[in-house]
Amino acid sequence: MYLLLKGHDYEYEIKMLLNLFYQGEKYDIVEDIPPEGVTIETVVCENYFKAVYYENGEIIETSSLDKEYIKDLPSESRERRKQSKRLLKTLLYDVASKVTGMKQPWGILTGIRPTKIVFDLIDRYGDGEDKIRECLENHYKISPPKIDLMMEIVRSEMGILSTNKDDEINIYLGIPFCPTRCLYCSFTSYPIDKWMSRVMDYLQALEKEMEYVSKELLDNKKVKTIYIGGGTPTSLNAEQLEIFMIMIDKHFDVGSLEEFTVEAGRPDTINGAKLEVLKKYGVTRISINPQTMNDKTLEIIGRRHTVEDIYSAFSMARRAGFDNINMDLIIGLPGENFLDVKKTMEQIKKLNPESVTVHTMAVKRASRLRESISEYDLISDKTIREMIDMVYHECKLVGLNPYYMYRQKNMVGNYENVGYCSTGMECIYNVEIIEEAQSIIALGAGSVSKVVFRDENRIERIENVKNVEQYIERIDEMIDRKRKFFA
């Protein structure tokens, strides 16, 4: 497939949108229409936008729009460029949709935070929901069911975001170790068995970063939430975990937190001793993530535990006094059908967690699944849609309502990940990180701090190296990156 780009440099955005219709297609950039093959031309000129689909040099489909729509925006402004991209993508969507006969549930959206668009529209139009819905459907080509989902989630998030204060920040701490690497995973994680000898070196480096943050960056600031992720933090043994929790307690005012989350994640890393440690040091929310309640699938994706282990871990957590437990699921896992997901939902409902986060399978670039994709049959878009609808209704039946959402590249069917929870059990940190409404200072290997400048509508990122050995050896440099930024 050939691409002819005239009057703009939106190559990345054009390719991302076309990938929704032509997955895996390769594109050659050309300067003229070739006499053979398929060519897609996109044009931004003085008076109009245009998208054209050619086959063997002949026009098959075209769509254009007058530039009057952006005439009032300053010629070199960021907003004008943003709206130009959107308009051109809308035209390209119309052309690709007519040629392929396909509709995309999220229309022209390829970003990971759809609800941010709703918040932008609220700032522009106020609370006029009809106007916002019209804009989402006509300007972004989003389907009505997804608009309903967006509006429901935004209403929930407003309850959290409306209480944000300027003197609050959030803390993320990364533990990049796991028992094994799951088939679909692309996170920074290292097998704990091979890295056990370096765990204490890592924790000492992490404490050094904690000490800097607590002494230098928290002046007149309140830590609202702490989120410990990974990897799987409970890969640490009980002794290491307690040492880590003592460090946190030493450097942060845990008692004043609104929320303290630990990704207990893998059921095969959970035992009574570790749960007692987490409870002792003030953790209020944990995740126990089965991904599926089918033993055969657990084996395929590389998990070293069974469904029975999931029940056991959940029961231990309840006995330890945890009354805010999340469970992560993935729909569209290799080999699973609609009935498998239905079975998983039935078992999750019996456990009755306070929240369930439902991920749509994504084929991530750095995952083992991507490397061996030809060995697996991925599910059809139609079946994924049926699974998503079923999960939504099953969650609703037990009082779990959607409260946050995000999307990823290369998701099966171009769908979404949604967090569901019972009333009042929303994860504050999840809402803050998705809406980028408050600063998050991130510590540990592979972590990325996001500093929000609300008055300037700007976000700056400070990255730590991903490699554990480099993080340990270069911890002073990681601290200096933060020091220079905040200076």
Side-chain angles (χ1 to χ4, degrees), residues 146-209:
K146 297 308 173 190
I147 294 174
D148 291 341
L149 180 63
M150 293 170 79
M151 300 304 293
E152 186 174 6
I153 287 171
V154 164
R155 284 192 292 268
S156 174
E157 289 182 333
M158 280 180 170
I160 291 172
L161 300 177
S162 64
T163 66
N164 281 357
K165 298 179 177 62
D166 291 339
D167 65 345
E168 294 174 333
I169 65 167
N170 304 274
I171 298 291
Y172 174 87
L173 299 163
I175 300 295
F177 305 109
C178 265
T180 58
R181 189 178 183 87
C182 295
L183 180 68
Y184 49 78
C185 183
S186 65
F187 288 118
T188 301
S189 67
Y190 295 79
I192 190 69
D193 290 347
K194 294 181 180 179
W195 285 83
M196 186 58 74
S197 63
R198 300 303 309 272
V199 167
M200 288 310 302
D201 293 336
Y202 179 80
L203 292 180
Q204 287 166 6
L206 186 55
E207 184 178 22
K208 192 170 186 179
E209 194 174 11

